[in-house]
Structure formats: structure tokens, C-alpha cells
Amino acid sequence: MITAKSDSADTLVRTDAQSFDVEAIRRDFPILQQTVNGKPLVYLDNAATTQKPRAVIDAITDHYLKDNANIHRGVHELSVRATAAYEKVRAKVRDFIGADRVEEIVFLRSTTEAVNLVAQTYGHSVIQPGDEILISTLEHHSNIVPWQMLCEQTGAVLKVAPINDAGEIILEEYEKLLGPRTMLVAVTHVSNALGTITPIKEIIDIAHRSEVRVLVDGAQAVPHTPVDVRDLDCDFYAFSSHKLFGPTGVGVLYGKYDLLNGLPPYQGGGEMILSVSFDGTTYNELPFKFEAGTPNIAGVIGFGAAIDYINAVGMERIAAYERDILDHATQTLSAIPGVRIIGTATEKASVVSFVVEGVHPHDVGTILDQLGIAVRTGHHCAQPLMERFGLTATARASFAFYNTRDEVDALADGIRQVIEVFGG
Ligand code: PLP
């Protein structure tokens, strides 16, 4: 078992740096040990949500068995313990993404909530009618719709940086779209639908040269690649625990301290205040100003265990292992006549979107499911991106570090069966 106790390094058991013991890792994920439709489960829907190692499940159970209490308010022992455990995770997240301060880490529900928070606070602070917000064709609906809503509310205009046929943002076009009215760039770090890794540092540098702030949607980047927000110099970075082997219902917004500190609160309620009277309210300090109401305490604690687990495996090693899986999947699938991979960027995370000639993606997904193989089919919450490729849907296999080359081969066999069924 990969044990992960980041605060006592001597108890860390790391696999040999040269090898990646995927079978040992798989044993840490109880859900993977099952059959589906009589076949061993091949879980390739990691971009939608990842599976959880036992360490995460145990951390949540332990919290409810031993420490459950509301946080920040109680003087009693359980509340003190729960508060300490919750706040410890904030420090883990800070270190995980290379932020300067714990105050820059806001716990929310999801990436979606983080983007909405920035739209409704930063957006409303700075946007005037006729101002522009610049996104890209690659975006997930979560990084489109909040900006469209802000545009409706303020009279701002949404601009979209185009992509090429490989699914890469065309940087020259992006740069041309940055104008005197651009108030914010909001771009994904990794595309969920195609796997494209965007040149995010360059995108940020270009925006900053025009003194434009940048929000990065990091939902699909953090599970696959080391992220250092200080090095990137992004102004905001959003991601979700559940795509990073942690529980659902927990998201993170990173924001530069001075920037976050200058923003108005997002939601009102308990926890985000210092004092309340009927004459007015004084808001709490960062990060609590943005954390109204009782948070997902157990979820955050489980998320901390996920970060420990990933750190124990090693993010660099995860990235290297997944590169091999991606290469194998790309070669194997593209060798099947009738299969076309959508998204062929030079820099990609381990996501392979594909279409099978003459077969609807939902049929591909249904037949694969009968073989115990879970892939995603549909528009992947990226309808404008699908439209760019003249499609309404694709099938998508998205890999995590517990997937194997054998599973890629099982997927390829499954696709060949799909083609046979449809008389290809
Ligand atoms: N951004 C990207 C790139 C995603 O892939 C997703 C989820 O698939 C999201 C945002 C939204 O994440 P969540 O549903 O956790 O808010």
C-alpha cells in the first residue's frame, strides 16, 4: 500500500523511483477491484471524476467516527480537533500548488463555484458596459456560462480566442483579441474534452503585459501535472477535489492575496463575518470572507488525504507514467480503421477523445459498458468546442495513474467489437 503521511516523512513508503508499481497503486483503490457486467471494471472516465484511494475513504470515516463537530466556532475538544484538521488541509493545498499564503486558498464547492465567485465579485468590481472578457474555444461550460451571465448583467462583451484543428489555442489570435477593453482572461490549463495542455504561462505573460488579470481553470490540470501558481503568476486558479482523487463537493479558488483582499464578499451568512448588527456587518478576513456557512468539513479532510496520497506517489512520476499511457492509447486507437482521434495537440494530458465512423458515440459507450469499460460520451460540457469540430459528441477515454496499458488494449478490443457490431 502507498501510505501517505506528509507530516512524518519517515513513514512515507515510496515506490522505487525508477519503476511505477501500478498494481500496488490499484490495490489502494477498492472500487477498481470489481467486475461490471461480468468483466473486470476498466474505469476510463477520470476526467469526469476520479476514484478514491482507501486513505481518503478512511480519513472521512475517521473524521465522522472520532472528530465530527462544526469548525471555527467551538471551544470544545471535538471542534478544536475538527478545526485543526480542516485548516491543516488549507496549508497542504497551499503547498501543493505553490501558493504563498494559506489566506490565498478559499475552500468552495467546486471549480464551477470558484469561477462564479470570481465572476460575481471581481467581475462586478471592475466591469463596465463595453468591457471585454476573453476566453477560448476550449472552455468547459463552467468557464463560459458564468462570464455570459456577467456580460448579461453588466453589458460586457465575451470574446473567444480560436483554436487550430489540433485543438490548440492560436496564440497570435489570442494576443490580437487582447484589447484596451479586456478586463479579464479566463482560460483552461487542460481541456477536459480534448486533453490539450494550453501554454498557460505564455497566455498569462501576454495578458499581464497588457495589465489584464488571468483566471486559470485548472480542473483538469492538477490531476496530471505539477502546478505552481507562483511560477505561473496567475491571478486566480480554480480546481476541484473530486478530479484529484478526493471527495466531491470541495473546490478550491486560489487568488493572489491583495487581489482577493480587495474583493467584496460572494455570499453572506455565518462564518464570513466578524460582527453583525442591524446597522451593518463587518466582514471576516481572508479566506473566511468567502466561506459563508458550514463548509464540507469531512470532504476537505478527505481532500487532504488525497493530496498526501498524490504526494507520496509523486506528481512528476504520475505525469511521466500517464505520458506513456497516453502514447500507447494514441498509437493503439489511431491504428484502428474507422477511429478518428479528436484533439491532436502536441502537448496533451492523458485524455483521448475519439469518434468511430458510422457509429454514434452513445452506442460506442453503451457497448463498451457491456464489456465493463467506462468511457464518457457526449459533448463533455464543451458544446462550442464540439461545434468547432463539426460534431455533437465524441467518446472520451480519460486515464489516471491507476490505469494500465492492458486497459488501453481492452479499450481497443472493445472498439473493434463496436465496429464489428455495426458492420464495419
Ligand atoms: N473545468 C473543467 C476543464 C472541467 O473538466 C470541469 C469538470 O468536468 C469543470 C471545470 C467543472 O468542475 P466541477 O464540476 O467540479 O465544478
Side-chain angles (χ1 to χ4, degrees), residues 127-134 147 151 154-159 181:
I127 300 281
Q128 301 293 325
D131 283 345
E132 294 168 6
I133 296 153
L134 178 53
W147 307 116
C151 288
T154 61
V157 180
L158 194 65
K159 297 277 179 175
R181 300 299 306 262

Side-chain angles (χ1 to χ4, degrees), residues 212-269:
V212 176
R213 301 273 191 194
V214 182
L215 174 141
V216 181
D217 173 353
Q220 297 293 343
V222 283
H224 300 295
T225 179
V227 169
D228 184 329
V229 291
R230 241 176 319 182
D231 177 54
L232 291 178
D233 196 29
C234 52
D235 300 288
F236 301 105
Y237 197 97
F239 60 103
S240 297
S241 149
H242 73 99
K243 300 200 193 271
L244 194 54
F245 314 97
T248 52
V250 175
V252 173
L253 173 67
Y254 157 82
K256 286 179 177 163
Y257 181 86
D258 289 340
L259 186 53
L260 281 184
N261 208 25
L263 297 182
Y266 174 48
Q267 293 177 332

Side-chain angles (χ1 to χ4, degrees), residues 196-313:
T196 310
I197 303 176
T198 61
I200 198 67
K201 200 166 155 61
E202 219 174 326
I203 288 170
I204 294 165
D205 284 349
I206 293 169
H208 282 178
R209 267 184 252 140
S210 303
E211 294 181 6
V212 176
R213 301 273 191 194
V214 182
L215 174 141
V216 181
D217 173 353
Q220 297 293 343
V222 283
H224 300 295
T225 179
V227 169
D228 184 329
V229 291
R230 241 176 319 182
D231 177 54
L232 291 178
D233 196 29
C234 52
D235 300 288
F236 301 105
Y237 197 97
F239 60 103
S240 297
S241 149
H242 73 99
K243 300 200 193 271
L244 194 54
F245 314 97
T248 52
V250 175
V252 173
L253 173 67
Y254 157 82
K256 286 179 177 163
Y257 181 86
D258 289 340
L259 186 53
L260 281 184
N261 208 25
L263 297 182
Y266 174 48
Q267 293 177 332
E271 199 70 359
M272 52 75 73
I273 52 89
L274 282 179
S275 70
V276 178
S277 78
F278 287 122
D279 295 326
T281 288
T282 316
Y283 303 127
N284 208 337
E285 294 158 354
L286 287 179
F288 311 112
K289 181 169 86 175
F290 294 114
E291 294 182 4
T294 301
N296 186 347
I297 302 164
V300 167
I301 289 167
F303 184 33
I307 292 175
D308 287 344
Y309 187 88
I310 293 161
N311 285 337
V313 178

